[in-house]
Amino acid sequence: MSMIRDLRAAVRPSRPALRKGMRMDGGAYDTTRDPATPSAVVDCAVYRDGARVESGRQLSPHEAMRQVRRDGGFVWIGLHEPTEAEFAGIATEFGLHPLAVEDAVQAHQRPKLERYDDSLFTVFKTVHYVEHDELTATSEVVETGEVMCFTGRDFFITVRHGGQGSLRALRHRLQDDPELLAKGPSAVLHAIADHVVDGYIAVADALQDDIDDVETDVFSPGRKGTPRGTDAGRIYQLKREILEFKRAVSPLLRPMQLLSERPMRLIDPDIQKYFRDVADHLVRVQEQVVGFDELLNSILQANLAQASVAQNEDMRKITSWAAIIAVPTMVCGVYGMNFDYMPETHWKYGYPLVLGVTVALCLGIHRTLKRNGWL
């Protein structure tokens, strides 16, 4: 490992000098930030031979990089929703490409992998399942965030957006595995990719339960008293949430394939093998998401078909009762005409006879419709 570090130190390019006005004493990079406002730098540490170099205090990015240039290793900087002014000094210190810096600050990017001169810029969308007691037509099912990663020979920078997707536990887990962390920044990139995809798997399993519940409700018999259209609203809302999930999963397939198949200077060959496992898991999640979308389409169509059948049944019942009512209406309409010479109008049994015939005809029609399933 010592020989490898010496070789890296020999071929490591020099970094651009700090911009004029940037502080060289390890102070804050953003000179416009209110001192009472917390810094966007969540953690900044130097790692050497797979172990964190303890300094007794929070290092500034400049101090950490100065240690790396002097003694070797790499620096890992974690930021949460930095402003443009906060990130400007770090971008200059590490020679980050302006386009990647703009994407990292503004966020709302598609998952992607971009290669620049001496760094890789990777965008991951983190997905969090929102717990809920009951799925409704307005339920939020998934919540997304973003993690942008800058990978260099001797630095790794993460820029996180959103309230979910904290990397603190992941950092501690990596620190407990010095052999893996000794592989350098590419090991951290793999750990984050694996962490994000594992989150996708957990969300997919939770969504499967929601879809099963919706499917059971739609096809369960005897659901009386349920407002018509309720299931359709729930299904449509679930489809929208799965579409948001799909936007996080599908675009990441190509970057993971590149990281697992194409040799890259910044990716350790031993670590590249592990990216294949991440890519396989991502493909499985992507297939699940496509299956969810197709299944929900089928459930939605079945629900709409059930609604159409219910409407047809209602119309048949209405039509049947209208046919039955038509008989007394017709008879009463005929005998309601003011003519003197009408059959049985002056016979004392005429009224009971007409009433009996009317009832008999109504009962006969009702029995026929009932036998044919219209009532």
Side-chain angles (χ1 to χ4, degrees):
M1 292 300 295
S2 176
M3 182 178 66
I4 294 176
R5 287 200 306 272
D6 294 340
L7 180 60
R8 287 179 176 173
V11 300
R12 184 181 299 121
S14 60
R15 301 291 177 192
L18 289 174
R19 290 178 180 173
K20 184 178 180 180
M22 292 296 176
R23 295 175 59 182
M24 298 293 293
D25 58 355
Y29 276 77
D30 183 7
T31 57
T32 64
R33 174 181 275 276
D34 184 352
T37 305
S39 172
V41 178
V42 178
D43 200 354
C44 177
V46 174
Y47 295 88
R48 193 176 301 120
D49 296 331
R52 179 168 179 153
V53 178
E54 298 296 341
S55 61
R57 62 183 179 86
Q58 176 72 53
L59 294 174
S60 72
H62 174 69
E63 290 176 321
M65 198 60 206
R66 189 167 53 185
Q67 285 190 23
V68 169
R69 290 170 181 165
R70 184 181 65 241
D71 303 322
F74 73 95
V75 57
W76 180 0
I77 304 171
L79 301 100
H80 181 249
E81 297 182 353
T83 64
E84 185 176 353
E86 286 176 314
F87 202 54
I90 295 176
T92 304
E93 174 74 29
F94 294 95
L96 305 179
H97 196 279
L99 292 177
V101 171
E102 182 181 1
D103 289 345
V105 173
Q106 293 183 356
H108 305 296
Q109 304 297 318
R110 295 177 75 252
K112 60 183 178 179
L113 171 66
E114 294 179 344
R115 289 175 292 182
Y116 296 100
D117 295 336
D118 57 351
S119 66
L120 290 175
F121 177 61
T122 315
V123 178
F124 299 96
K125 272 195 174 294
T126 57
V127 181
H128 172 72
Y129 180 77
V130 180
E131 296 290 344
H132 47 268
D133 295 332
E134 183 180 0
L135 181 65
T136 65
T138 58
S139 294
E140 183 181 12
V141 180
V142 296
E143 183 180 7
T144 60
E146 292 177 59
V147 176
M148 285 84 162
C149 303
F150 294 88
T151 307
R153 289 187 178 88
D154 48 17
F155 68 87
F156 190 84
I157 302 171
T158 57
V159 181
R160 186 167 59 88
H161 291 268
Q164 304 297 331
S166 174
L167 301 176
R168 187 181 301 276
L170 175 65
R171 186 187 285 260
H172 292 163
R173 190 163 65 248
L174 275 175
Q175 290 173 174
D176 293 336
D177 191 354
E179 184 177 353
L180 179 61
L181 198 55
K183 297 292 184 180
S186 60
V188 183
L189 179 62
H190 163 264
I192 291 178
D194 189 52
H195 173 72
V196 170
V197 174
D198 283 346
Y200 292 168
I201 295 174
V203 171
D205 292 340
L207 286 174
Q208 180 68 68
D209 294 336
D210 282 336
I211 293 174
D212 290 343
D213 291 341
V214 169
E215 187 177 20
T216 301
D217 290 343
V218 168
F219 291 102
S220 61
R223 295 180 304 121
K224 294 186 177 180
T226 303
R228 188 166 295 164
T230 301
D231 288 331
R234 295 168 61 203
I235 297 169
Y236 184 71
Q237 177 64 15
L238 196 53
K239 277 182 64 66
R240 287 176 58 90
E241 297 297 303
I242 287 179
L243 178 60
E244 186 174 359
F245 186 26
K246 187 177 181 180
R247 288 172 181 164
V249 174
S250 297
L252 191 58
L253 286 172
R254 182 58 179 166
M256 288 299 101
Q257 290 173 352
L258 291 175
L259 288 171
S260 62
E261 297 172 1
R262 183 173 300 179
M264 298 183 184
R265 291 179 301 167
L266 298 174
I267 304 298
D268 189 290
D270 293 335
I271 296 297
Q272 191 169 36
K273 301 174 184 177
Y274 291 96
F275 277 109
R276 297 172 189 167
D277 184 62
V278 177
D280 289 341
H281 290 169
L282 187 62
V283 169
R284 182 166 67 87
V285 174
Q286 199 265 347
E287 291 174 349
Q288 281 185 285
V289 172
V290 172
F292 290 162
D293 192 48
E294 293 176 353
L295 180 59
L296 283 175
N297 283 335
S298 300
I299 294 174
L300 182 59
Q301 291 175 0
N303 182 71
L304 295 177
Q306 288 180 339
S308 298
V309 169
Q311 290 177 352
N312 290 337
E313 289 180 353
D314 291 342
M315 290 303 300
R316 286 165 59 178
K317 290 180 180 180
I318 293 172
T319 304
S320 299
W321 285 111
I324 294 173
I325 295 174
V327 173
T329 301
M330 181 188 67
V331 173
C332 294
V334 170
Y335 279 91
M337 293 185 292
N338 298 319
F339 291 107
D340 291 332
Y341 300 102
M342 292 184 67
E344 318 303 339
T345 54
H346 299 290
W347 184 37
K348 69 175 181 177
Y349 299 109
Y351 176 75
L353 176 64
V354 171
L355 189 62
V357 170
T358 301
V359 172
L361 289 173
C362 291
L363 291 176
I365 295 173
H366 183 275
R367 182 179 178 183
T368 301
L369 294 174
K370 187 85 169 178
R371 186 172 54 193
N372 292 333
W374 282 60
L375 287 173

